[in-house]
Amino acid sequence: MTYPQEEVDGKERGEKPMMKKNNKRLETKIEGIASSIRVVPHFPKPGIMFQDITTLLLNPKAFKNTIDLFVERYSSMDISVVAGVEARGFIFGPSIALAIGAKFIPLRKPRKLPGEVISERYVLEYGTDCLEMHVGAVQPGERALVVDDLIATGGTLCAAMNLLERAGAEVVECACVIELPELKGRERLNGKPLFVLVESH
Amino acid sequence: MLHTSLHCRSFPSPSHLRSLVLSSRLFPSVAVRTSPTLSLRRSRANRSIAMAATEDSRIKRIASSIRVIPDWPKPGVMFQDITTLLLDPQAFKDSIDLFVERYKDKGITVVAGVEARGFIFGPPIALAIGAKFVPMRKPNKLPGEVISEEYSLEYGTDVMEMHVGAVQPGDRVLVIDDLIATGGTLCAAIRLLERVGAEVVESACVIELPELKGRERLGDRPLFVLIKAKGV
């Protein structure tokens, strides 16, 4: 289990107890989040241990902590767009967007968005899928954050980033509640930073 | 089909508030007999007109940020696209605030959001009022044990699912979706929740298409919306 490192300020003596206390508080929050996530074996197929965030959403304190941890990180990064991947990215993205004053952009499966869209195809384990974004939702030069509940192989997040970059936006970071490090999604992000709260092995 | 109903109860709608504001503009110098009770009543009325005015300007902004796409997903349908609302952070915040203001003191323990656009509005409301968020999903999306409810579409049927154990008997629930058209989806959500013994306090949407009579399909189940629009 990993969690973001607190920045260490200069002074040694006075700061240490405070930093320890802050880290302990952060650790407790992360533990609370991690322990509220339910693992469902063999879903959607045998061999897969599915990370179910719906139980996190049943714990208002843990859910609030999740959003707060993202907001703390991004509120001073000058993010103007939060892009959430359908459908579980819609659960986390908008609250972050509202808190940091950014636009929220839904990235959707084909034929869900009305009007003009751009599409990005991406590879699945078997076959391909497609992600769409509205034309005009994002302007060139905007700083974007991509949000999803989980990163596995990174295929979906990669497609999301490509859509935003094709529209001229700068993807500042990808953020997920959970990472499955063994599936090496982090490496598929073309060097873009990834921030997660919980790693699951 | 919902077997209840006789008449539907409806809470004051934005258009009701809008007409309040309008009349104060049309008749600014209405003479009022001053007596202590009357002047108290008048200052209360002024306050609620002022509140309605603020609420009204928020609703105006929300309404004007929603894009209408003609002939989508098929000819004749005027699609109410809320994605443009989400591109206006102030309007999006206002829409959430309007719901939160209404529900924060109603003892709501669960906000149930209908996939997928209900996932955009439901969680911020749930977070603000300290309630659980429960996603109501299309089939085969929720892992683990679910209960299902079939409901009719214009052509054919669809199915909505909810996790077993997400909602307890006695939970007070708010159901959220972006829009109510025929009311079929909301009805299915309400049925699922009532099957597990929850009390559905109200359904709330950003937009209602009154011509499609969704409110009637809800029968006596309360419905609150921010905006009414023409859908066809």
Side-chain angles (χ1 to χ4, degrees):
Chain A
M1 201 159 54
T2 62
Y3 47 88
Q5 294 297 311
E6 294 271 285
E7 304 279 43
V8 184
D9 193 288
K11 294 170 223 156
E12 291 288 296
R13 204 163 287 171
E15 297 290 278
K16 260 192 187 144
M18 184 58 103
M19 213 189 85
K20 251 189 182 161
K21 202 170 149 193
N22 282 342
N23 272 343
K24 193 75 190 97
R25 225 179 268 143
L26 176 60
E27 212 179 299
T28 311
K29 281 185 188 172
I30 299 277
E31 268 164 30
I33 292 165
S35 63
S36 68
I37 294 165
R38 174 174 73 156
V39 179
V40 181
H42 309 303
F43 182 89
K45 51 184 205 198
I48 297 192
M49 303 296 279
F50 189 88
Q51 304 286 323
D52 181 17
I53 50 93
T54 65
T55 42
L56 165 62
L57 311 176
L58 295 179
N59 182 337
K61 195 162 175 209
F63 185 21
K64 184 178 185 304
N65 284 340
T66 305
I67 300 299
D68 286 351
L69 284 167
F70 289 126
V71 170
E72 276 162 34
R73 181 175 181 83
Y74 297 112
S75 57
S76 45
M77 279 196 192
D78 219 8
I79 307 269
S80 58
V81 170
V82 175
V85 180
E86 166 164 23
R88 289 184 289 263
F90 291 6
I91 295 177
F92 298 95
S95 296
I96 299 168
L98 284 163
I100 68 176
K103 307 188 290 193
F104 178 74
I105 292 181
L107 303 180
R108 298 211 66 174
K109 295 281 154 83
R111 293 173 298 281
K112 301 294 186 75
L113 290 170
E116 214 188 339
V117 297
I118 56 170
S119 301
E120 180 80 15
R121 200 182 274 156
Y122 62 103
V123 175
L124 297 171
E125 201 182 352
Y126 301 108
T128 63
D129 207 337
C130 200
L131 209 57
E132 294 186 342
M133 181 174 81
H134 265 141
V135 168
V138 163
Q139 306 308 316
E142 290 210 75
R143 286 168 59 78
L145 170 69
V146 183
V147 177
D148 206 355
D149 66 321
L150 179 144
I151 175 172
T153 61
T156 315
L157 277 180
C158 200
M161 282 184 351
N162 288 344
L163 279 170
L164 290 158
E165 288 178 345
R166 279 166 57 191
E170 176 199 348
V171 176
V172 174
E173 195 156 273
C174 294
C176 301
V177 181
I178 306 159
E179 177 185 9
L180 306 179
E182 278 134 12
L183 297 180
K184 301 191 192 303
R186 203 177 273 266
E187 290 160 33
R188 205 161 156 189
L189 299 182
N190 298 327
K192 281 294 175 184
L194 170 72
F195 174 73
V196 304
L197 301 181
V198 171
E199 274 181 16
S200 187
H201 299 268
Chain B
M1 290 296 132
L2 255 180
H3 293 302
T4 64
S5 102
L6 275 179
H7 50 253
C8 57
R9 274 192 299 138
S10 62
F11 286 82
S13 73
S15 57
H16 165 81
L17 293 166
R18 216 171 288 147
S19 63
L20 250 181
V21 177
L22 222 50
S23 50
S24 78
R25 280 199 216 121
L26 285 173
F27 308 102
S29 53
V30 174
V32 179
R33 271 179 11 243
T34 42
S35 79
T37 1
L38 261 176
S39 57
L40 182 64
R41 220 180 286 158
R42 182 164 62 142
S43 68
R44 270 200 202 123
N46 285 346
R47 253 203 313 280
S48 64
I49 285 173
M51 269 170 60
T54 321
E55 199 168 311
D56 192 60
S57 67
R58 287 188 288 179
I59 287 178
K60 271 206 182 84
R61 184 171 182 152
I62 291 164
S64 63
S65 72
I66 292 165
R67 173 171 72 156
V68 181
I69 309 251
D71 303 317
W72 199 91
K74 51 181 205 202
V77 179
M78 302 294 280
F79 189 85
Q80 302 286 324
D81 180 16
I82 50 95
T83 65
T84 44
L85 164 62
L86 310 177
L87 295 179
D88 179 349
Q90 186 62 55
F92 184 22
K93 182 182 184 301
D94 287 344
S95 68
I96 298 300
D97 287 348
L98 284 164
F99 290 124
V100 170
E101 283 160 23
R102 182 178 180 82
Y103 296 112
K104 65 179 169 29
D105 299 319
K106 291 214 161 60
I108 306 278
T109 55
V110 170
V111 175
V114 180
E115 166 163 25
R117 290 183 288 261
F119 290 8
I120 295 176
F121 297 94
I125 298 168
L127 284 164
I129 68 177
K132 304 188 285 190
F133 178 74
V134 172
M136 315 291 277
R137 297 211 67 173
K138 295 277 151 87
N140 310 313
K141 302 292 186 78
L142 291 171
E145 213 189 338
V146 298
I147 57 169
S148 303
E149 182 78 23
E150 200 174 20
Y151 63 104
S152 35
L153 298 170
E154 198 180 356
Y155 301 108
T157 62
D158 208 338
V159 174
M160 183 180 296
E161 294 186 340
M162 180 176 79
H163 265 140
V164 168
V167 172
Q168 309 305 319
D171 262 325
R172 286 170 57 79
V173 185
L174 169 67
V175 182
I176 298 278
D177 207 354
D178 67 319
L179 179 145
I180 174 172
T182 61
T185 314
L186 277 181
C187 268
I190 292 169
R191 274 200 297 273
L192 274 171
L193 292 157
E194 290 183 342
R195 275 167 61 188
V196 299
E199 178 196 347
V200 177
V201 174
E202 194 155 271
S203 299
C205 303
V206 179
I207 306 160
E208 176 188 3
L209 305 179
E211 284 149 349
L212 298 179
K213 302 193 189 303
R215 197 176 281 266
E216 273 137 66
R217 192 153 167 193
L218 258 49
D220 59 358
R221 306 298 196 276
L223 171 71
F224 173 74
V225 304
L226 301 182
I227 289 157
K228 298 186 184 191
K230 283 180 74 65
V232 289

